[in-house]
Amino acid sequence: MRLLLIIALLLPQLSLAEDAAVRKEVLAAKETVLELNRDLYELERELLSPATTRAAFNLTLNHGEYFEPLSIEISVDDELKVQHLYTERQVKALRMGAVQPLGDINLAPGKHSVRAVVRGVDHLGQGRELSVTEMVNKTSKPLITELVIVDRDDLQSARVQLKYW
Amino acid sequence: MGYLARYVVLILLSCASWAGETIEPTNSLRPGDLVPDFTLPAVNGFGQRLAEARGAPLMIVWLGRCDECSETLVRYQLLAESLAMDGLKGWFVWTPEGKDQPPKMRLPVLKYEPRWNQGWQFEGRPAVLLIDPDGELDHLITGDLDDNYPETEKVLMRWLSLGRDGQISE
């Protein structure tokens, strides 16, 4: 009888100890998962967009009085790489000075033909298309570019330029 | 975990993320589902993104074959405009076929084109989708738009007056 009583008293203690051990194991497992996630993220960055082949495209709108973008398409060596459709809210943000990251692509070192076509409307509501084509020399360093839509007050028009950061 | 195993996991993850970039056509939307995000160009102004419409009830009229079908859509447009006071937004989605011309409307007429990878096609069109402010599909009314107008009007009025009621109309 005494033995049964002792066992009955000890059982909850044993259960608590087991719970604590399980909690520790779960915590350790969570930490391992977090560590693994960090490693995977680093690996993913290195494999998918290594610095030697990284090319990034950004877009800004300078004033935007004579042109509002509706869409953009960027081709590299005649292959479509980046496309985007604009909403009114996004154009407002661009007008307020936002820099839009259009995307990162992988580009082998060497010379490449980059063509950007921006379709939109002018200040009279007429459909317009701005484009720029440039030969770009990709080195082993990341290529970071900015497409700038600039107003041309003298012609009441706009043009798109490619700048390098 | 060895480097090889990590590499395999990474490749699998990458494949999953690439697969996620292409938005496939859908005909499996059911009331209660979260409607996948899309951005589509409009034939009459700026493109529209579904995620930006969150916070307000939205009626999307996804058109079937439509060649300047403005007459069919006028009633839907008036309905959406008359309920704009209640916060309702209304969009039409048009898919060009052959030499079809888009309807001329005041509300945004979005154009589905497969070349834009930010969009998806609803295969069960023509259909009216009533999407709540959280982006969930509350009602899906499929079939001929002329025939379904009275039903759409009834469901829409009840939906806006009661909020989300979870009832299904098909």
Side-chain angles (χ1 to χ4, degrees):
Chain A
M1 185 65 185
R2 276 187 194 172
L3 187 65
L4 281 175
L5 200 64
I6 291 168
I7 290 172
L9 286 169
L10 283 177
L11 265 178
Q13 301 295 325
L14 283 171
S15 168
L16 280 175
E18 273 176 19
D19 281 354
V22 169
R23 269 199 297 272
K24 266 187 186 172
E25 277 177 25
V26 169
L27 204 63
K30 279 183 180 172
E31 280 172 6
T32 312
V33 168
L34 285 174
E35 198 180 317
L36 180 63
N37 268 346
R38 274 196 297 271
D39 290 352
L40 283 171
Y41 178 72
E42 288 301 323
L43 264 171
E44 190 177 4
R45 275 185 67 86
E46 282 172 24
L47 284 170
L48 296 181
S49 193
T52 46
T53 61
R54 184 176 170 232
F57 294 94
N58 300 277
L59 184 121
T60 57
L61 185 61
N62 196 339
H63 299 303
E65 193 182 334
Y66 300 115
F67 185 79
E68 283 181 331
L70 295 177
S71 71
I72 183 167
E73 289 178 294
I74 299 173
S75 306
V76 179
D77 300 329
D78 295 327
E79 193 181 334
L80 183 65
K81 293 287 187 183
V82 178
Q83 56 170 206
H84 186 80
L85 291 163
Y86 288 95
T87 65
E88 190 171 9
R89 188 187 289 188
Q90 291 167 353
V91 173
K92 270 184 190 167
L94 287 171
R95 275 217 174 97
M96 291 167 76
V99 178
Q100 183 204 6
L102 280 165
D104 284 8
I105 63 167
N106 286 319
L107 209 55
K111 288 193 173 176
H112 300 275
S113 164
V114 174
R115 178 173 167 77
V117 179
V118 191
R119 292 183 184 88
V121 287
D122 64 14
H123 61 297
L124 301 172
Q126 299 297 311
R128 275 213 61 195
E129 187 176 295
L130 309 178
S131 68
V132 60
T133 306
E134 275 193 28
M135 285 303 287
V136 169
N137 189 19
K138 172 77 178 74
T139 63
S140 58
K141 290 180 181 171
L143 173 73
I144 303 176
T145 62
E146 178 185 350
L147 288 153
V148 194
I149 298 170
V150 195
D151 278 348
R152 299 178 70 182
D153 289 322
D154 52 335
L155 298 173
Q156 293 201 333
S157 178
R159 66 165 182 239
V160 62
Q161 294 174 312
L162 188 64
K163 286 186 176 177
Y164 303 93
W165 286 4
Chain B
M1 192 183 286
Y3 182 81
L4 185 67
R6 288 183 186 199
Y7 185 76
V8 170
V9 172
L10 178 64
I11 295 297
L12 288 174
L13 284 174
S14 305
C15 289
S17 69
W18 288 331
E21 280 174 14
T22 308
I23 306 174
E24 295 296 327
T26 181
N27 57 0
S28 58
L29 275 177
R30 295 280 179 271
D33 289 350
L34 192 66
V35 182
D37 192 21
F38 65 74
T39 306
L40 290 172
V43 299
N44 54 352
F46 284 104
Q48 299 287 343
R49 183 178 177 188
L50 186 61
E52 287 184 9
R54 291 260 176 100
L58 173 67
M59 176 176 75
I60 298 180
V61 181
W62 214 297
L63 310 177
R65 181 78 193 259
C66 163
D67 183 16
E68 289 187 277
C69 60
S70 309
E71 268 183 44
T72 303
L73 305 180
V74 163
R75 285 193 294 176
Y76 285 92
Q77 178 168 264
L78 288 172
L79 182 64
E81 286 175 338
S82 65
L83 294 168
M85 292 280 282
D86 296 312
L88 181 75
K89 290 180 179 177
W91 298 346
F92 298 105
V93 182
W94 173 68
T95 306
E97 285 181 44
K99 291 180 179 175
D100 287 356
Q101 291 299 307
K104 293 180 176 66
M105 313 302 293
R106 291 185 296 269
L107 292 177
V109 177
L110 311 183
K111 183 180 178 182
Y112 172 76
E113 285 179 300
R115 65 191 281 253
W116 297 109
N117 58 18
Q118 291 167 269
W120 47 265
Q121 177 65 289
F122 184 68
E123 295 296 349
R125 64 191 192 278
V128 179
L129 289 77
L130 301 183
I131 301 169
D132 76 9
D134 297 324
E136 276 184 17
L137 180 66
D138 261 3
H139 292 276
L140 174 63
I141 303 165
T142 54
D144 185 79
L145 292 175
D146 281 324
D147 295 345
N148 281 339
Y149 179 78
E151 172 73 0
T152 303
E153 190 181 46
K154 198 171 71 181
V155 171
L156 186 60
M157 301 298 270
R158 193 183 60 204
W159 181 58
L160 288 178
S161 62
L162 299 178
R164 289 180 61 183
D165 57 11
Q167 292 186 30
I168 300 168
S169 301
E170 286 193 61

